[in-house]
Amino acid sequence: MKRFLTVDDIGDLGQALKEAAEVKKAPYAWDTLGKNKTITLIFFNSSLRTRLSTQKAAMNLGMNVIVLDVNKDGWQLETEFGVVMDGDKPEHLREAVPVIGRYCDIIGVRSFASFEDKKADYEEEILNQFINFAGVPIISMESATRHPLQAFADLFTIEEYKNKERPKVVLTWAPHPRALPQAVPNSFVEWMKVADVDLVVTHPKGYELSSEFTDGVTVEYDQKKAFKDADFIYAKNWASYEQYGQILSQDKSWTVDEEKMLLTNDAKFMHCLPVRRNMIVTDGVIDSENSIVIDEAANRVVSAQVVIKRMLEALK
Amino acid sequence: MKRFLTVDDIGDLGQALKEAAEVKKAPYAWDTLGKNKTITLIFFNSSLRTRLSTQKAAMNLGMNVIVLDVNKDGWQLETEFGVVMDGDKPEHLREAVPVIGRYCDIIGVRSFASFEDKKADYEEEILNQFINFAGVPIISMESATRHPLQAFADLFTIEEYKNKERPKVVLTWAPHPRALPQAVPNSFVEWMKVADVDLVVTHPKGYELSSEFTDGVTVEYDQKKAFKDADFIYAKNWASYEQYGQILSQDKSWTVDEEKMLLTNDAKFMHCLPVRRNMIVTDGVIDSENSIVIDEAANRVVSAQVVIKRMLEALK
Amino acid sequence: MKRFLTVDDIGDLGQALKEAAEVKKAPYAWDTLGKNKTITLIFFNSSLRTRLSTQKAAMNLGMNVIVLDVNKDGWQLETEFGVVMDGDKPEHLREAVPVIGRYCDIIGVRSFASFEDKKADYEEEILNQFINFAGVPIISMESATRHPLQAFADLFTIEEYKNKERPKVVLTWAPHPRALPQAVPNSFVEWMKVADVDLVVTHPKGYELSSEFTDGVTVEYDQKKAFKDADFIYAKNWASYEQYGQILSQDKSWTVDEEKMLLTNDAKFMHCLPVRRNMIVTDGVIDSENSIVIDEAANRVVSAQVVIKRMLEALK
């Protein structure tokens, strides 16, 4: 396993889920696998869950962990080729990436969509420079278009909580005061399409995700219809893809509340966190027994550990 | 041991001091106790000694350490319940705390008094949310009202240096250009009251600590009288408790100097550091042979290691 | 080995290079040497290569690593003696340094030239306070006047790539938009003078380095003459020493380009990184097969590991 960005990189989902269950049951069973191996976690954007869970996963495997907070360091990297570097940016990604690759065995990268250049974002310009130039395996810890460690943890959480063979899973847009990337919903759709679930996506008009992800997926513009008989409600805000990066609505009639949850099949409530209470979801729903957001977050260690474990095994 | 905030949490002081001496003598004797255990140190306020000494203590026990510098990350956490989160704060402590608890085995928290709300500070609102919601043992690395790792280290330092059964220990206020919390003097008084020492507190009028701490303690408003025959002089600035958070005096006649030290019984000079030279204490005193501030700081590893060791033993 | 600042601190270069080769061949052969030992890396100035490579080197030896980013913490330390500390600086280096020394076994310090006070810079005021007061071995991770881990890595890289007994090594100044310290060229000259190479330094008039370093070294003001038959071209910008800290020229005729490289004996191109492309060196040169900047950066782990290994051996 040389990179982890899309659902294809994980291969067979059934096998991945089986491995996730093993890792969760005995997290320290491979605690010498990473001996004298180092993972560097590079954050162009800050992080709580992703940093802690990925760091914990690597330590469970006996690895050394180096955290590099590019964001805080104000480390400005040039990414364009051919420019005269006489401005603010002291270093080119073309040197920085292979050098970091020489100091470790695996690199994790977090680099959000800029919302400045749709094409650059959707071509994953930053992440691909790491994939092309680092010389070591690369894990996306949320890139411009995807958040695969989250989607893998989400799928595993659904697997743990489902009480029927093929549950109905609803991804619902919900309002938020800031413009948020599409990475989480893109990956969620990408993984759920392959998984054995009945997926419905619901959002206001104008919030359609890229067809690269949603081709063949049921989109229902009436949120209440979508919720009917759902086994899992996955709430998330995202900014418009069409009018790239724009907030088209902050309509609170899309907030997930107790009344809407009554339409479901006693659905579990999921969210990747951090969550804006009483914007995305009411206190009543997130504090209810059906809310599994903390278990979902805890499973971020499991998904990261499976991915790092596979990469370490491939390094041997 | 599920939490470490007050002197009561450590139980019998004689036993704690005995354990501290063992840890100091052989710091690596328990270096597999923390294998595959992780401590997360969360700093809402920045730190030098506390971070390094607690990290070192955990590493001596073979633990993994994750440092989270909330202060620097500008991670704004909502702490109120029931609010619509449409402002600057992207995450509620109600999610953040249990999630962090799922990624580790022990949490250390530093969160100073805000000086904005006396009641909130003295009810330890932030720390108590960690105690209530984290699901793992919590260590105060200085909270709104107490700094127990410091007080434990102070007591152990006095134990090491005392040359009589029951030494006279004087806590003296001293001037400082900024408004400082009462956490250090509160904990110092709380621990010394239980310890086998003769405690006197001296400060200008208006600087009385909360009676919750000083009930039954001798307060002497004349600093020179207080210093007479003292075996230990513990200097510290704090802002007023009564006129909460206010600086009432910067009177340099309260600075600890060579002349006042002559009134003592060849007393040792102590301070928790960082110290403002020639405000709190003259160069002459802090650079003298009787100054034990560096040994005192070194003992912060010892107090932290005893506390973490006990928590690890209780996890087994 | 108690300190690592000058070339003298490493002793015999032949022996050091032999040890470097052994470390590179088997980096984990001493992975229990640092068991229960801690190195604290203190950055008054930010860092990529130095932090990652020194951290990796210490981890290869089984050490615990604590990184302290003073720069980011805005930790203002008083360095003057005798002052009344009633201003912005809450702590004196005189307490901070020995306290840090009590929490670890080795300290690495990065503290650049301020360019405010030539005498203070060239007397290494900050680094010397660490050497005098820390009580543990000190490694310069680039100080005001020297960058010895870089120079040692540079020498080892030349040793790996040279194809004659005594290669011609040219240090050339090149233009840059910012005023940069002389630490890298100073150390490079200091080490090359002792090494078995034919050293030539070339720069515009006014960019003479301190004679403390360049006494006895060939200086050639005509860059093209200097390049003739060179086996290694080492490019670097630095600000004027004479007109201390000033930029006297940004003349791009000094940029290292393909045409000039043709004058050499098929020379390898070196730079300590980060490098300003098309200011210091053209894309054509740095992207050519003769560019060994990434291997040079990778060797920073090797030089750091030799130094830390020697210090650990001396601690035993």
Side-chain angles (χ1 to χ4, degrees):
Chain A
M1 196 178 199
K2 289 290 186 196
R3 54 167 240 179
F4 181 65
L5 172 58
T6 75
V7 69
D8 294 338
D9 297 324
I10 200 75
D12 180 70
L13 283 189
Q15 175 56 31
L17 289 170
K18 191 168 154 261
E19 219 167 313
E22 287 166 6
V23 158
K24 184 156 187 174
K25 199 172 165 192
Y28 309 117
W30 298 266
D31 67 355
T32 59
L33 182 65
K35 187 177 156 62
N36 289 328
K37 300 286 187 226
T38 299
I39 189 168
T40 300
L41 308 180
I42 305 175
F43 294 93
F44 290 91
N45 303 91
S46 63
S47 165
L48 171 67
R49 266 153 295 274
T50 295
R51 181 190 150 189
L52 296 187
S53 61
T54 313
Q55 192 164 350
K56 183 67 167 71
M59 297 187 311
N60 287 353
L61 295 161
M63 295 190 86
N64 295 315
V65 181
I66 295 177
V67 175
L68 202 60
D69 218 325
V70 173
N71 190 37
K72 251 161 23 193
D73 294 354
W75 184 42
Q76 299 286 329
L77 287 180
E78 181 60 64
T79 56
E80 298 295 313
F81 288 97
V83 296
V84 178
M85 291 173 59
D86 57 1
D88 284 341
K89 298 178 178 170
E91 177 142 34
H92 201 286
L93 213 61
R94 190 63 192 85
E95 274 76 54
V97 170
V99 167
I100 297 171
R102 297 293 284 270
Y103 296 152
C104 62
D105 303 282
I106 299 173
I107 295 175
V109 184
R110 162 164 286 206
S111 176
F112 290 173
S114 68
F115 280 155
E116 284 165 16
D117 181 341
K118 185 178 187 167
K119 188 164 170 293
D121 284 348
Y122 270 73
E123 286 178 355
E124 293 284 7
E125 278 201 349
I126 300 289
L127 194 77
N128 278 326
Q129 293 211 39
F130 277 88
I131 289 170
N132 293 334
F133 298 130
V136 297
I138 301 295
I139 299 172
S140 163
M141 301 193 299
E142 188 171 343
S143 65
T145 66
R146 287 171 176 89
H147 195 355
L149 290 170
Q150 182 66 50
F152 185 9
D154 294 338
L155 176 62
F156 180 58
T157 307
I158 289 170
E159 184 73 13
E160 289 188 307
Y161 275 97
K162 76 179 184 185
N163 49 26
K164 66 173 64 146
E165 194 58 29
R166 189 174 168 83
K168 178 176 176 182
V169 174
V170 177
L171 168 65
T172 180
W173 182 93
H176 193 283
R178 301 274 172 84
L180 298 187
Q182 293 112 20
V184 169
N186 283 347
S187 273
F188 189 76
V189 168
E190 188 183 55
W191 286 65
M192 290 302 135
K193 274 167 71 174
V194 182
D196 197 16
V197 306
D198 180 16
L199 176 66
V200 175
V201 179
T202 182
H203 53 69
K205 292 216 167 154
Y207 277 101
E208 289 75 15
L209 295 166
S210 164
S211 61
E212 170 187 359
F213 295 95
T214 49
D215 264 354
V217 171
T218 306
V219 176
E220 168 57 68
Y221 293 102
D222 182 331
Q223 193 189 30
K224 290 188 181 175
K225 276 196 196 163
F227 272 44
K228 195 157 175 345
D229 299 325
D231 298 295
F232 293 89
I233 297 296
Y234 193 99
K236 183 75 187 83
N237 174 270
W238 61 90
S240 174
Y241 173 76
E242 187 61 34
Q243 292 175 251
Y244 193 61
Q246 299 302 303
I247 296 177
L248 308 181
S249 164
Q250 296 201 23
D251 181 359
K252 289 212 201 153
S253 75
W254 280 82
T255 299
V256 178
D257 62 17
E258 294 90 322
E259 199 184 316
K260 288 175 201 162
M261 289 299 282
L262 289 176
L263 302 171
T264 69
N265 179 30
D266 197 27
K268 301 298 181 192
F269 176 78
M270 299 178 73
H271 188 279
C272 61
L273 306 184
V275 64
R276 299 272 184 156
R277 284 170 169 252
N278 303 309
M279 291 289 292
I280 297 286
V281 57
T282 61
D283 287 336
V285 171
I286 198 169
D287 291 332
S288 74
E289 287 204 348
N290 279 29
S291 170
I292 57 174
V293 295
I294 304 299
D295 284 346
E296 184 186 356
N299 280 335
R300 291 288 306 276
V301 177
V302 177
S303 63
Q305 192 169 340
V306 170
V307 170
I308 298 170
K309 177 175 161 284
R310 286 189 178 190
M311 287 183 172
L312 286 172
E313 286 163 348
L315 285 178
K316 290 269 159 179
Chain B
M1 196 178 198
K2 289 290 185 195
R3 55 168 239 180
F4 181 65
L5 171 58
T6 76
V7 70
D8 295 337
D9 296 325
I10 199 75
D12 180 69
L13 283 189
Q15 175 56 33
L17 289 170
K18 192 170 154 259
E19 219 167 312
E22 288 166 6
V23 159
K24 185 157 187 174
K25 199 174 166 191
Y28 310 116
W30 299 265
D31 68 354
T32 59
L33 182 65
K35 186 176 156 62
N36 288 328
K37 300 285 187 226
T38 299
I39 189 168
T40 301
L41 307 180
I42 305 176
F43 294 93
F44 290 91
N45 303 91
S46 63
S47 166
L48 172 67
R49 266 156 295 275
T50 295
R51 181 189 150 189
L52 295 186
S53 61
T54 313
Q55 192 165 351
K56 183 68 167 72
M59 296 187 311
N60 287 353
L61 295 161
M63 295 190 87
N64 294 315
V65 181
I66 296 177
V67 175
L68 202 60
D69 218 325
V70 173
N71 190 36
K72 251 162 23 193
D73 294 354
W75 183 44
Q76 299 286 329
L77 286 180
E78 182 60 64
T79 56
E80 298 294 314
F81 288 97
V83 297
V84 177
M85 292 174 59
D86 56 2
D88 284 341
K89 299 178 178 171
E91 177 143 34
H92 201 286
L93 212 61
R94 190 61 193 84
E95 274 77 53
V97 169
V99 167
I100 296 170
R102 297 292 286 270
Y103 296 152
C104 62
D105 303 281
I106 299 174
I107 295 175
V109 183
R110 162 164 287 205
S111 175
F112 290 173
S114 67
F115 279 155
E116 284 165 18
D117 181 342
K118 185 177 188 169
K119 188 165 169 293
D121 284 348
Y122 271 72
E123 287 179 353
E124 293 285 6
E125 278 200 348
I126 300 289
L127 195 78
N128 278 325
Q129 294 210 39
F130 277 88
I131 288 171
N132 293 333
F133 298 131
V136 297
I138 301 296
I139 299 172
S140 162
M141 302 193 298
E142 188 171 343
S143 64
T145 66
R146 286 172 177 88
H147 195 355
L149 290 170
Q150 181 66 50
F152 185 8
D154 294 337
L155 175 62
F156 180 59
T157 307
I158 289 171
E159 184 73 12
E160 289 187 307
Y161 276 97
K162 75 179 184 186
N163 49 26
K164 67 174 61 147
E165 193 58 29
R166 188 175 170 83
K168 179 176 175 183
V169 175
V170 176
L171 168 64
T172 181
W173 181 93
H176 192 282
R178 301 273 172 85
L180 297 187
Q182 293 112 20
V184 169
N186 284 347
S187 273
F188 189 76
V189 168
E190 188 183 57
W191 285 65
M192 289 303 135
K193 274 167 72 174
V194 181
D196 197 15
V197 306
D198 181 17
L199 175 66
V200 175
V201 179
T202 181
H203 53 69
K205 292 214 166 153
Y207 277 101
E208 290 75 14
L209 294 166
S210 165
S211 61
E212 172 188 358
F213 295 94
T214 50
D215 265 353
V217 171
T218 307
V219 176
E220 169 57 68
Y221 294 101
D222 182 331
Q223 194 188 30
K224 290 189 181 172
K225 274 195 197 164
F227 272 45
K228 196 158 174 343
D229 299 325
D231 298 294
F232 293 90
I233 298 296
Y234 193 99
K236 182 76 187 82
N237 174 271
W238 61 89
S240 175
Y241 172 76
E242 187 59 35
Q243 292 174 251
Y244 193 59
Q246 299 303 304
I247 297 178
L248 308 180
S249 164
Q250 297 200 23
D251 181 0
K252 288 213 199 150
S253 75
W254 280 81
T255 299
V256 178
D257 61 18
E258 293 90 322
E259 199 183 317
K260 288 175 202 163
M261 289 300 283
L262 289 176
L263 302 170
T264 69
N265 179 32
D266 196 29
K268 302 297 182 192
F269 176 79
M270 300 178 73
H271 189 279
C272 61
L273 305 183
V275 64
R276 299 273 184 155
R277 283 169 170 252
N278 303 310
M279 290 289 291
I280 297 286
V281 57
T282 60
D283 286 336
V285 172
I286 198 170
D287 290 333
S288 75
E289 287 204 348
N290 279 28
S291 169
I292 57 174
V293 296
I294 304 301
D295 284 346
E296 183 187 356
N299 280 335
R300 291 288 306 277
V301 177
V302 177
S303 63
Q305 192 169 341
V306 170
V307 170
I308 299 170
K309 177 175 161 285
R310 287 189 177 190
M311 286 182 171
L312 286 172
E313 286 164 347
L315 285 178
K316 289 270 158 177
Chain C
M1 195 177 199
K2 290 290 185 196
R3 53 168 241 178
F4 181 65
L5 172 58
T6 77
V7 70
D8 295 338
D9 297 323
I10 200 76
D12 180 70
L13 283 189
Q15 175 56 31
L17 289 170
K18 192 170 154 261
E19 219 166 312
E22 288 165 6
V23 159
K24 185 158 186 173
K25 200 174 164 190
Y28 310 116
W30 298 266
D31 66 355
T32 59
L33 182 65
K35 185 176 156 61
N36 288 329
K37 300 285 187 224
T38 300
I39 189 168
T40 301
L41 307 180
I42 305 176
F43 294 94
F44 290 90
N45 303 91
S46 63
S47 165
L48 172 66
R49 267 154 293 275
T50 295
R51 182 190 149 188
L52 295 186
S53 61
T54 312
Q55 192 165 351
K56 184 68 166 73
M59 296 186 312
N60 287 353
L61 294 161
M63 295 189 86
N64 294 316
V65 181
I66 295 177
V67 175
L68 202 59
D69 218 325
V70 173
N71 190 38
K72 252 163 19 193
D73 294 352
W75 184 43
Q76 298 286 328
L77 287 180
E78 181 60 63
T79 57
E80 298 294 313
F81 289 97
V83 297
V84 177
M85 290 174 59
D86 56 1
D88 284 341
K89 299 178 178 170
E91 178 143 34
H92 202 286
L93 213 60
R94 190 61 192 85
E95 274 77 53
V97 169
V99 167
I100 297 170
R102 297 292 285 271
Y103 296 152
C104 62
D105 303 282
I106 299 173
I107 295 174
V109 183
R110 162 162 288 205
S111 175
F112 290 173
S114 68
F115 279 154
E116 284 165 16
D117 181 341
K118 185 178 188 167
K119 188 165 169 293
D121 284 349
Y122 270 72
E123 287 179 352
E124 294 284 7
E125 278 200 347
I126 300 291
L127 194 77
N128 278 326
Q129 293 211 40
F130 278 88
I131 289 170
N132 293 333
F133 298 130
V136 297
I138 301 295
I139 299 172
S140 163
M141 302 193 298
E142 188 171 344
S143 64
T145 67
R146 287 172 175 89
H147 196 356
L149 290 170
Q150 182 66 51
F152 185 7
D154 294 337
L155 175 62
F156 180 58
T157 307
I158 288 170
E159 184 73 12
E160 289 188 308
Y161 275 97
K162 76 179 183 185
N163 48 26
K164 67 174 61 146
E165 193 59 27
R166 189 175 169 85
K168 179 176 175 184
V169 174
V170 176
L171 168 64
T172 181
W173 181 94
H176 193 281
R178 300 274 172 85
L180 298 187
Q182 292 113 20
V184 169
N186 283 348
S187 272
F188 189 77
V189 168
E190 188 183 56
W191 286 64
M192 290 302 135
K193 274 167 72 174
V194 181
D196 198 15
V197 306
D198 181 17
L199 176 66
V200 175
V201 179
T202 182
H203 53 70
K205 293 214 166 154
Y207 278 101
E208 290 75 15
L209 294 166
S210 164
S211 60
E212 171 188 357
F213 295 95
T214 50
D215 264 355
V217 171
T218 306
V219 175
E220 169 57 66
Y221 294 102
D222 183 330
Q223 192 188 32
K224 291 189 181 175
K225 275 196 195 162
F227 272 45
K228 196 158 174 346
D229 298 326
D231 298 295
F232 294 89
I233 297 296
Y234 193 99
K236 183 75 186 83
N237 174 271
W238 61 89
S240 174
Y241 172 75
E242 187 60 34
Q243 293 175 250
Y244 193 60
Q246 299 303 304
I247 296 177
L248 308 181
S249 165
Q250 297 200 23
D251 181 358
K252 288 212 200 152
S253 75
W254 280 82
T255 299
V256 177
D257 63 16
E258 294 89 324
E259 199 183 316
K260 289 175 200 162
M261 289 300 283
L262 290 176
L263 301 171
T264 69
N265 179 31
D266 196 28
K268 302 298 183 193
F269 176 79
M270 299 178 72
H271 188 278
C272 62
L273 304 182
V275 65
R276 299 273 183 154
R277 283 170 169 253
N278 302 310
M279 290 287 293
I280 297 286
V281 58
T282 60
D283 286 336
V285 172
I286 198 169
D287 291 332
S288 75
E289 287 204 348
N290 279 28
S291 170
I292 57 174
V293 295
I294 305 300
D295 284 347
E296 183 187 356
N299 280 335
R300 291 288 306 277
V301 177
V302 178
S303 64
Q305 192 170 341
V306 170
V307 170
I308 299 170
K309 175 174 162 285
R310 286 189 177 191
M311 286 182 171
L312 286 172
E313 287 164 347
L315 285 179
K316 289 270 157 178

mmCIF file of all heavy atoms in Angstrom, chain B residues 85-99:
data_model
loop_
_atom_site.group_PDB
_atom_site.id
_atom_site.type_symbol
_atom_site.label_atom_id
_atom_site.label_comp_id
_atom_site.label_asym_id
_atom_site.label_seq_id
_atom_site.Cartn_x
_atom_site.Cartn_y
_atom_site.Cartn_z
ATOM 1 N N MET B 85 -24.523 27.485 18.029
ATOM 2 C CA MET B 85 -23.091 27.701 17.765
ATOM 3 C C MET B 85 -22.873 28.293 16.380
ATOM 4 O O MET B 85 -22.332 27.648 15.487
ATOM 5 C CB MET B 85 -22.326 26.393 17.968
ATOM 6 C CG MET B 85 -22.300 25.965 19.440
ATOM 7 S SD MET B 85 -21.559 24.326 19.683
ATOM 8 C CE MET B 85 -19.917 24.579 19.001
ATOM 9 N N ASP B 86 -23.260 29.554 16.236
ATOM 10 C CA ASP B 86 -23.114 30.206 14.927
ATOM 11 C C ASP B 86 -22.026 31.281 14.958
ATOM 12 O O ASP B 86 -21.955 32.115 14.071
ATOM 13 C CB ASP B 86 -24.444 30.797 14.471
ATOM 14 C CG ASP B 86 -25.017 31.767 15.493
ATOM 15 O OD1 ASP B 86 -24.361 31.991 16.533
ATOM 16 O OD2 ASP B 86 -26.113 32.285 15.252
ATOM 17 N N GLY B 87 -21.173 31.238 15.984
ATOM 18 C CA GLY B 87 -20.148 32.268 16.115
ATOM 19 C C GLY B 87 -18.752 31.755 15.826
ATOM 20 O O GLY B 87 -18.529 30.994 14.883
ATOM 21 N N ASP B 88 -17.786 32.174 16.658
ATOM 22 C CA ASP B 88 -16.377 31.874 16.417
ATOM 23 C C ASP B 88 -15.955 30.479 16.866
ATOM 24 O O ASP B 88 -14.904 29.992 16.443
ATOM 25 C CB ASP B 88 -15.502 32.877 17.193
ATOM 26 C CG ASP B 88 -15.487 34.229 16.510
ATOM 27 O OD1 ASP B 88 -15.833 34.278 15.320
ATOM 28 O OD2 ASP B 88 -15.137 35.225 17.172
ATOM 29 N N LYS B 89 -16.721 29.863 17.733
ATOM 30 C CA LYS B 89 -16.265 28.626 18.351
ATOM 31 C C LYS B 89 -16.792 27.403 17.609
ATOM 32 O O LYS B 89 -17.985 27.127 17.624
ATOM 33 C CB LYS B 89 -16.701 28.605 19.817
ATOM 34 C CG LYS B 89 -16.106 29.775 20.610
ATOM 35 C CD LYS B 89 -16.561 29.792 22.043
ATOM 36 C CE LYS B 89 -15.895 30.965 22.778
ATOM 37 N NZ LYS B 89 -16.456 31.167 24.111
ATOM 38 N N PRO B 90 -15.900 26.662 16.956
ATOM 39 C CA PRO B 90 -16.344 25.566 16.092
ATOM 40 C C PRO B 90 -16.650 24.267 16.832
ATOM 41 O O PRO B 90 -17.200 23.355 16.234
ATOM 42 C CB PRO B 90 -15.155 25.354 15.155
ATOM 43 C CG PRO B 90 -13.978 25.770 15.959
ATOM 44 C CD PRO B 90 -14.449 26.875 16.874
ATOM 45 N N GLU B 91 -16.296 24.173 18.102
ATOM 46 C CA GLU B 91 -16.463 22.889 18.783
ATOM 47 C C GLU B 91 -16.877 23.101 20.219
ATOM 48 O O GLU B 91 -16.451 24.042 20.884
ATOM 49 C CB GLU B 91 -15.149 22.091 18.729
ATOM 50 C CG GLU B 91 -15.224 20.773 19.478
ATOM 51 C CD GLU B 91 -14.460 19.637 18.797
ATOM 52 O OE1 GLU B 91 -13.422 19.900 18.183
ATOM 53 O OE2 GLU B 91 -14.940 18.480 18.873
ATOM 54 N N HIS B 92 -17.711 22.187 20.709
ATOM 55 C CA HIS B 92 -18.157 22.239 22.102
ATOM 56 C C HIS B 92 -17.276 21.308 22.932
ATOM 57 O O HIS B 92 -16.916 20.228 22.486
ATOM 58 C CB HIS B 92 -19.625 21.802 22.202
ATOM 59 C CG HIS B 92 -20.305 22.295 23.454
ATOM 60 N ND1 HIS B 92 -20.062 21.760 24.692
ATOM 61 C CD2 HIS B 92 -21.206 23.295 23.637
ATOM 62 C CE1 HIS B 92 -20.800 22.400 25.594
ATOM 63 N NE2 HIS B 92 -21.500 23.344 24.987
ATOM 64 N N LEU B 93 -16.936 21.769 24.132
ATOM 65 C CA LEU B 93 -16.172 20.939 25.061
ATOM 66 C C LEU B 93 -16.870 19.590 25.289
ATOM 67 O O LEU B 93 -16.198 18.578 25.539
ATOM 68 C CB LEU B 93 -16.063 21.707 26.396
ATOM 69 C CG LEU B 93 -14.805 21.519 27.238
ATOM 70 C CD1 LEU B 93 -13.565 21.970 26.498
ATOM 71 C CD2 LEU B 93 -14.901 22.312 28.538
ATOM 72 N N ARG B 94 -18.195 19.597 25.161
ATOM 73 C CA ARG B 94 -18.983 18.381 25.400
ATOM 74 C C ARG B 94 -18.642 17.262 24.407
ATOM 75 O O ARG B 94 -18.816 16.078 24.716
ATOM 76 C CB ARG B 94 -20.471 18.737 25.315
ATOM 77 C CG ARG B 94 -21.415 17.665 25.772
ATOM 78 C CD ARG B 94 -21.192 17.307 27.235
ATOM 79 N NE ARG B 94 -21.891 16.081 27.583
ATOM 80 C CZ ARG B 94 -21.407 14.861 27.373
ATOM 81 N NH1 ARG B 94 -20.232 14.697 26.828
ATOM 82 N NH2 ARG B 94 -22.099 13.802 27.720
ATOM 83 N N GLU B 95 -18.195 17.614 23.196
ATOM 84 C CA GLU B 95 -17.686 16.592 22.267
ATOM 85 C C GLU B 95 -16.170 16.438 22.416
ATOM 86 O O GLU B 95 -15.642 15.333 22.433
ATOM 87 C CB GLU B 95 -17.993 16.954 20.799
ATOM 88 C CG GLU B 95 -19.355 16.502 20.307
ATOM 89 C CD GLU B 95 -20.472 17.397 20.810
ATOM 90 O OE1 GLU B 95 -20.379 18.635 20.627
ATOM 91 O OE2 GLU B 95 -21.443 16.878 21.406
ATOM 92 N N ALA B 96 -15.464 17.573 22.493
ATOM 93 C CA ALA B 96 -13.997 17.532 22.471
ATOM 94 C C ALA B 96 -13.434 16.673 23.608
ATOM 95 O O ALA B 96 -12.529 15.863 23.408
ATOM 96 C CB ALA B 96 -13.430 18.945 22.543
ATOM 97 N N VAL B 97 -13.989 16.853 24.803
ATOM 98 C CA VAL B 97 -13.431 16.170 25.974
ATOM 99 C C VAL B 97 -13.597 14.645 25.891
ATOM 100 O O VAL B 97 -12.605 13.915 26.029
ATOM 101 C CB VAL B 97 -14.013 16.755 27.284
ATOM 102 C CG1 VAL B 97 -13.642 15.887 28.479
ATOM 103 C CG2 VAL B 97 -13.505 18.177 27.482
ATOM 104 N N PRO B 98 -14.794 14.127 25.666
ATOM 105 C CA PRO B 98 -14.882 12.656 25.584
ATOM 106 C C PRO B 98 -14.110 12.073 24.404
ATOM 107 O O PRO B 98 -13.609 10.951 24.495
ATOM 108 C CB PRO B 98 -16.387 12.385 25.459
ATOM 109 C CG PRO B 98 -17.016 13.680 25.106
ATOM 110 C CD PRO B 98 -16.119 14.761 25.608
ATOM 111 N N VAL B 99 -13.995 12.825 23.314
ATOM 112 C CA VAL B 99 -13.223 12.311 22.173
ATOM 113 C C VAL B 99 -11.749 12.178 22.558
ATOM 114 O O VAL B 99 -11.125 11.132 22.337
ATOM 115 C CB VAL B 99 -13.388 13.209 20.925
ATOM 116 C CG1 VAL B 99 -12.342 12.862 19.873
ATOM 117 C CG2 VAL B 99 -14.790 13.061 20.348
#
